[in-house]
Amino acid sequence: MQRAIDIASLFVTVIGAARSGLSAARLLHRRGVSVFLSELSPADKYPDAARLLTKEGIPHEFGGHSDRVFNADIIVVSPGVPSDAGVLLEAELRGMPVISEIEVGTMFIDSPIIAVTGTNGKTTKTTLTGDICPSSGRHTLVAGNIGLAFTHALLDRTEPVDISVLEISSFQLDTCVSLHPTTAILTTITPDHLNRYNGSFEEYVASKQRIFMNQGPSDHLIYSSDN
């Protein structure tokens, strides 16, 4: 299992009540982790999320981030939350670890991961790879930036996960720490989302390269040497 952090023993704050944040909070809660969700927007923007959180007994707040956010050992952030959001800057000042929702999912599986990123072509590659893997008899989970949050895909899954194929955006990679794909696929890198990276193409490239930062000699990296 890729658990660089023993999250089961920690208090966790999830920032963001959109799809990824909500799924992360629900998965953590179901696995017995003490979790609190905080959303900057009012509850009427996410009425379904507010109902689910209340129904499942997950502590939460809407309409702003209170100091309770920082009464935690670690913060999980949705990819839609800007990296320069005040709550994340304050967490950095306090020296609090911040990780991606994708990384939460990896903590609850112990099977290989194929991770795909790139400016263009990543959804096609993820879908194709996800179609190929079952032909080898493996129970395959396909999730991530492709439209199904990784943590949501794990919520009610009853069959084993022999291999996960994940599409991962640069926003998700920004807060990945221990992500360790057995195979990393880097499609193309062309200028995109530069407003998120201070107008710097180099920072954007560095974000994409985080997909293989924890790989070792026994892992695989697939990329185009011509790009």
Side-chain angles (χ1 to χ4, degrees):
M1 192 172 291
Q2 301 192 21
R3 189 173 294 176
I5 302 168
D6 184 11
I7 201 165
S9 65
L10 304 181
F11 290 93
V12 180
T13 291
V14 175
I15 302 296
R19 179 181 59 203
S20 296
L22 177 64
S23 298
R26 295 178 68 203
L27 180 64
L28 288 165
H29 181 70
R30 289 191 187 184
R31 300 301 176 92
V33 179
S34 298
V35 62
F36 171 68
L37 183 143
S38 180
E39 167 58 51
L40 183 63
S41 300
D44 57 12
K45 183 175 180 180
Y46 297 104
D48 293 338
R51 282 193 293 270
L52 267 175
L53 291 166
T54 300
K55 179 181 178 182
E56 298 187 16
I58 301 173
H60 59 276
E61 66 181 0
F62 285 85
H65 302 303
S66 69
D67 283 342
R68 185 173 178 181
V69 165
F70 307 108
N71 294 330
D73 300 296
I74 193 168
I75 289 178
V76 175
V77 63
S78 300
V81 178
S83 55
D84 60 353
V87 65
L88 298 185
L89 295 178
E90 179 63 25
E92 183 179 0
L93 285 174
R94 297 183 184 217
M96 298 182 68
V98 177
I99 66 171
S100 167
E101 170 269 337
I102 282 282
E103 204 138 54
V104 172
T106 68
M107 294 175 180
F108 296 103
I109 61 168
D110 56 7
S111 52
I113 291 174
I114 299 175
V116 184
T117 196
T119 306
N120 298 300
K122 56 184 177 291
T123 298
T124 302
K125 299 295 188 300
T126 302
T127 303
L128 178 61
T129 305
D131 287 343
I132 291 172
C133 287
S135 66
S136 65
R138 299 184 182 187
H139 293 94
T140 305
L141 184 153
V142 181
N145 195 59
I146 198 168
L148 176 64
F150 189 24
T151 49
H152 186 80
L154 294 171
L155 267 178
D156 298 310
R157 188 178 177 94
T158 55
E159 63 182 359
V161 178
D162 296 327
I163 192 164
S164 299
V165 183
L166 305 177
E167 178 184 326
I168 307 182
S169 71
S170 60
F171 294 179
Q172 292 167 316
L173 286 168
D174 285 340
T175 46
C176 281
V177 178
S178 62
L179 176 70
H180 182 180
T182 307
T183 300
I185 301 174
L186 185 56
T187 59
T188 62
I189 305 181
T190 56
D192 197 15
H193 304 302
L194 297 191
N195 60 315
R196 173 106 172 198
Y197 298 98
N198 303 308
S200 169
F201 180 54
E202 288 72 21
E203 286 190 25
Y204 175 62
V205 171
S207 176
K208 290 295 189 185
Q209 291 176 334
R210 291 176 66 84
I211 199 166
F212 57 82
M213 63 184 172
N214 292 315
Q215 287 194 302
S218 62
D219 300 315
H220 299 88
L221 169 63
I222 301 172
Y223 70 101
S224 170
S225 61
D226 296 329
N227 184 271

